Amino acid sequence: MTALLELSDVNKDYRIGGFLDRSTLHAVKHVSFTLEEEKPEIFTVVGESGSGKTTTARMILGNETPTSGSLRFMGKDIAAIRSRKERLAFMAKVQPIFQNPFEAFNPLTTLDYYLFSTARRFLGLKDKAAVEAATDKSLQHVGLSLAEVRGRYSHELSGGQLQRIAVARALIPGPKLIVADEPVSMVDSSLRMSIVNLFRELRDNLGVSIIYITHDLSTAYYISDRVIIMHKGDVVEAGRAADVLGNPSHEYSRALRNAVLPPDPVIASAIIREKLRAF
Amino acid sequence: MLTVVEKTPVSVEAKPVLRVEGLKAYYQMNYFGVRREVRAVDDVSLTIKRNEIYGIAGESSSGKSSLIKTIAGAITPPLRVVEGSVKFDFGGKELDVYAQRPAMKAARWKHLSYVMQGSMNVLNPVRKVKHAFHDFAFKHMGLSEGEFRAKVESHLQRIGLDPRVLESYPHQLSGGMRQRLTIGLATVCEPEFIIADEPTTALDVLVQQDVLALIKGVQQRMGSSIIFVTHDMTVHAAIADRIGIVYAGRLVEEGLTLDVFQRPQHPYTAHLIASLPRIGDTRKRVALGGKPPNLADPPSGCRFHPRCPLAIDKCKTDNPPLEARNNGRVACWRAGEMEAA
């Protein structure tokens, strides 16, 4: 089996402070994991804010270089990408989805512009009909069509629809890996499931692997194959989703697991009453 | 007009603290001679009893935030109240939010306060926290500077914050502490009624339960009523006594929390509850198809009918009234069939 993505002992440090009070922030410490090419999966990175999960995502996307360690995508070191051609080929295979769909799209630009320019740039299409056909095809994968999106602005659509369009845009170049950084945290819970179900379909029907970064443990449990839990830059627990989230062994993962309120009024109100007593 | 008197076990005889009747609030715009009207709050009637936590649930752009803003009297054009009334009862004195503006102004913060969503936006980043307390609460308390300071300090201690935070700037505090501060700010005058807009949405999961427990604890100690808005059903499950479900500007269901979760009466509520993910369960959840309705041009009849699995012809033409049913209220022509299913 060949590795799609291989992180080995990746570290990222940031220098903070000025001339006199310089210190080093270890944002990501010794992170290693491998995604197989033949077996598309949803790989979830869980952690609270400041745990280093977004820095990890940025390194996988090539936006950030690791301080030490290596990230290899299909055998090639991501940090060694130099030429424009190589970079374009890499970007076609690894696509991002961002947290806030309302900020990801310029409010003064129609949404089809993003889709068309992605098709032109990555697929090298010149012909208008071919660009539109490619766009429509990827919109069909997310349950939309070009007719619904053409000429629309971001404020005309709901957060769930925008996030679907973001997924459609990421699908245009035919990626092997999608890095989704908190894709549902700005979408409300009733639409959340439609995005999460979409990831499942992408994995099963298109064979796309997904790195799903989140702090929402219930959707993580629902869709993930494997999970790592990060805390202050360290991976504190890793393994199959059912084991890690169902039976966490590390102290921090247990705390995280217990912080999730169940959607059941009897149990949830009992938890709050228990907290109240401790007050 | 639809007003139904409910009987629920919480506080039997006391007069309700809030009575909203037939409230309609629209965003009215007039661009180049074209009138546009967005019906964000459309014929909502509800009452909130003393010592009660009432949760309002609904998806984004369903009008839930417009509803609580209208209740607070904190609306600015183009949002206008077209019809209906919002009446508070503070210590036996009735107060009509839209008819008695000056009295309302005096009642603010003392009787009616507000916990806002983004705590960073509430606290001025270039002024110390103590100034926020002074700005918001000082003139309502009628105390001297020293007494006021002592009162604020003891209040902060009660909600688990070190009084030293008063001397810090907002950026020096964590998100959880800032949210605690905004709750402290809203409760320092011990108001009878608190409005909270997404009080936990911007928080890390680890502190969410503590903040919810804090809200519940403060509410119980002061015996005040809280109306809060969030789309997160698990938060409703944790602290609400009653829940109102808002869809496209209308209240479609209302009931005791346990009833709403265990026996939802409206198909939209049933869908909301069924789609919640749980740890330990990976069965496929069906997401609701279609898109949220455009409130400038809402669907005819029942506004949920284009997405409703149970819709019949009547739903497309006639708007179902909100009627009392099984200890709650529901607006659905097929509520009877929901029970059977």
Side-chain angles (χ1 to χ4, degrees):
Chain A
M1 279 222 267
T2 47
L4 179 70
L5 179 75
E6 193 179 1
L7 272 72
S8 46
D9 198 25
V10 170
N11 290 280
K12 179 74 189 175
D13 299 339
Y14 287 107
R15 275 219 297 254
I16 50 172
F19 185 62
L20 293 172
D21 56 346
R22 184 166 299 171
S23 60
T24 310
L25 175 79
H26 304 286
V28 173
K29 298 177 221 162
H30 312 291
V31 173
S32 305
F33 60 82
T34 309
L35 265 61
E36 302 296 342
E37 192 176 350
E38 282 84 14
K39 210 173 78 204
E41 63 175 325
I42 298 174
F43 185 88
T44 301
V45 183
V46 177
E48 57 183 343
S49 23
S51 61
K53 57 192 198 302
T54 297
T55 308
T56 309
R58 289 178 57 82
M59 286 192 287
I60 294 169
L61 289 168
N63 290 344
E64 207 77 72
T65 46
T67 313
S68 67
S70 74
L71 295 97
R72 306 178 81 81
F73 180 74
M74 298 177 85
K76 279 195 74 172
D77 194 338
I78 297 174
I81 294 173
R82 286 285 177 272
S83 74
R84 183 184 150 80
K85 208 176 132 206
E86 272 182 329
R87 169 146 290 272
L88 215 60
F90 168 72
M91 283 163 75
K93 292 283 171 236
V94 183
Q95 281 283 323
I97 294 168
F98 299 105
Q99 177 171 17
N100 189 344
F102 297 99
E103 282 174 8
F105 295 109
N106 181 343
L108 299 176
T109 309
T110 54
L111 296 163
D112 49 14
Y113 169 80
Y114 290 95
L115 301 165
F116 292 156
S117 57
T118 306
R120 269 191 225 104
R121 188 163 178 216
F122 288 108
L123 301 179
L125 300 171
K126 300 273 185 292
D127 178 31
K128 195 177 171 205
V131 168
E132 288 186 358
T135 305
D136 194 47
K137 195 175 137 224
S138 75
L139 282 169
Q140 300 283 353
H141 285 310
V142 301
L144 291 165
S145 68
L146 185 55
E148 290 171 74
V149 178
R150 193 195 295 273
R152 305 290 286 274
Y153 290 90
S154 60
H155 67 87
E156 294 177 71
L157 298 169
S158 70
Q161 282 174 305
L162 282 178
Q163 206 58 299
R164 277 167 182 275
I165 292 171
V167 175
R169 191 210 56 75
L171 286 178
I172 288 175
K176 299 287 287 175
L177 177 67
I178 286 180
V179 180
D181 189 0
E182 303 255 12
V184 293
S185 69
M186 298 301 289
V187 177
D188 60 80
S189 42
S190 52
L191 292 166
R192 208 165 271 185
M193 292 321 273
S194 72
I195 304 285
V196 169
N197 283 338
L198 178 62
F199 287 156
R200 219 183 237 197
E201 283 164 29
L202 297 183
R203 178 195 63 189
D204 297 342
N205 303 338
L206 300 176
V208 179
S209 286
I210 290 158
I211 295 186
Y212 175 56
I213 295 173
T214 189
H215 61 246
D216 179 10
L217 264 69
S218 16
T219 55
Y221 188 95
Y222 176 61
I223 58 159
S224 321
D225 299 304
R226 281 193 295 158
V227 175
I228 59 171
I229 294 180
M230 290 187 73
H231 178 51
K232 294 187 175 162
D234 285 309
V235 174
V236 295
E237 201 157 348
R240 279 183 46 234
D243 301 337
V244 173
L245 299 176
N247 262 322
S249 57
H250 190 275
E251 192 188 337
Y252 175 73
S253 359
R254 266 207 299 274
L256 209 57
R257 167 73 177 75
N258 291 336
V260 179
L261 285 167
D264 181 323
V266 180
I267 307 170
S269 59
I271 293 172
I272 296 297
R273 269 201 304 277
E274 193 56 41
K275 284 253 168 194
L276 263 178
R277 214 166 292 135
F279 239 13
Chain B
M1 198 136 320
L2 268 159
T3 17
V4 180
V5 182
E6 308 100 335
K7 283 198 175 66
T8 35
V10 200
S11 84
V12 220
E13 288 303 318
K15 270 182 79 181
V17 66
L18 170 70
R19 201 183 281 278
V20 178
E21 277 167 10
L23 187 66
K24 293 184 181 177
Y26 301 164
Y27 290 87
Q28 292 175 325
M29 283 154 288
N30 207 336
Y31 288 134
F32 309 112
V34 182
R35 261 176 77 91
R36 270 189 92 206
E37 207 169 55
V38 176
R39 301 176 172 198
V41 179
D42 203 2
D43 205 3
V44 171
S45 300
L46 56 91
T47 54
I48 291 169
K49 292 181 276 286
R50 280 179 205 286
N51 207 358
E52 178 181 48
I53 300 186
Y54 188 97
I56 293 179
E59 58 194 345
S60 16
S61 77
S62 63
K64 55 191 188 330
S65 285
S66 298
L67 173 61
I68 57 165
K69 271 191 219 157
T70 315
I71 288 173
I75 58 171
T76 47
L79 183 59
R80 289 183 187 89
V81 172
V82 178
E83 224 182 277
S85 65
V86 180
K87 288 182 182 133
F88 284 101
D89 187 305
F90 293 134
K93 255 198 296 188
E94 193 179 80
L95 195 57
D96 188 321
V97 175
Y98 290 96
Q100 294 156 275
R101 288 272 185 183
M104 195 57 211
K105 200 170 173 184
R108 254 177 235 288
W109 228 259
K110 194 166 173 59
H111 296 294
L112 164 74
S113 71
Y114 208 108
V115 180
M116 278 144 286
Q117 181 175 6
S119 49
M120 199 58 182
N121 307 332
V122 179
L123 301 167
N124 188 336
V126 295
R127 302 185 77 209
K128 287 182 179 173
V129 169
K130 64 178 178 186
H131 294 128
F133 275 89
H134 200 275
D135 294 347
F136 274 97
F138 181 68
K139 67 177 176 194
H140 296 291
M141 310 263 282
L143 301 172
S144 74
E145 291 277 357
E147 286 168 343
F148 176 72
R149 174 81 185 213
K151 167 105 189 177
V152 168
E153 282 181 3
S154 71
H155 182 67
L156 286 180
Q157 240 151 14
R158 253 186 314 208
I159 63 169
L161 280 171
D162 192 322
R164 277 181 301 179
V165 298
L166 287 171
E167 295 297 333
S168 31
Y169 289 96
H171 74 266
Q172 294 170 312
L173 308 170
S174 70
M177 283 170 94
R178 286 201 300 266
Q179 194 61 39
R180 273 166 187 275
L181 266 178
T182 54
I183 292 165
L185 204 52
T187 51
V188 67
C189 299
E190 311 215 339
E192 289 156 271
F193 197 81
I194 300 164
I195 295 170
D197 190 356
E198 306 262 7
T200 57
T201 308
L203 292 178
D204 251 346
V205 273
L206 286 175
V207 290
Q208 191 188 33
Q209 286 183 6
D210 292 330
V211 170
L212 289 176
L214 173 66
I215 293 175
K216 184 106 185 168
V218 169
Q219 182 267 339
Q220 282 179 351
R221 193 167 45 79
M222 303 189 314
S224 45
S225 308
I226 295 179
I227 184 167
F228 77 98
V229 161
T230 177
H231 62 73
D232 189 346
M233 291 303 286
T234 57
V235 173
H236 289 288
I239 62 166
D241 295 317
R242 280 197 301 153
I243 303 181
I245 310 281
V246 174
Y247 185 81
R250 286 187 182 147
L251 200 57
V252 294
E253 178 166 359
E254 181 188 67
L256 296 173
T257 306
L258 203 60
D259 291 344
V260 170
F261 272 85
Q262 291 181 347
R263 287 176 296 277
Q265 303 194 62
H266 194 281
Y268 177 62
T269 320
H271 162 77
L272 270 186
I273 305 294
S275 70
L276 295 169
R278 285 158 202 258
I279 287 185
D281 184 357
T282 52
R283 272 178 302 144
K284 190 163 163 87
R285 300 290 194 282
V286 184
L288 195 60
K291 54 180 181 187
N294 177 0
L295 290 178
D297 181 22
S300 61
C302 171
R303 288 177 175 182
F304 186 57
H305 85 256
R307 300 166 88 184
C308 181
L310 300 175
I312 49 171
D313 284 344
K314 194 182 187 185
C315 304
K316 292 175 187 154
T317 50
D318 298 348
N319 175 32
L322 189 65
E323 281 172 337
R325 192 180 181 93
N326 297 346
N327 211 11
R329 292 190 294 166
V330 63
C332 180
W333 293 120
R334 306 203 61 192
E337 280 97 309
M338 276 290 296
E339 270 160 51

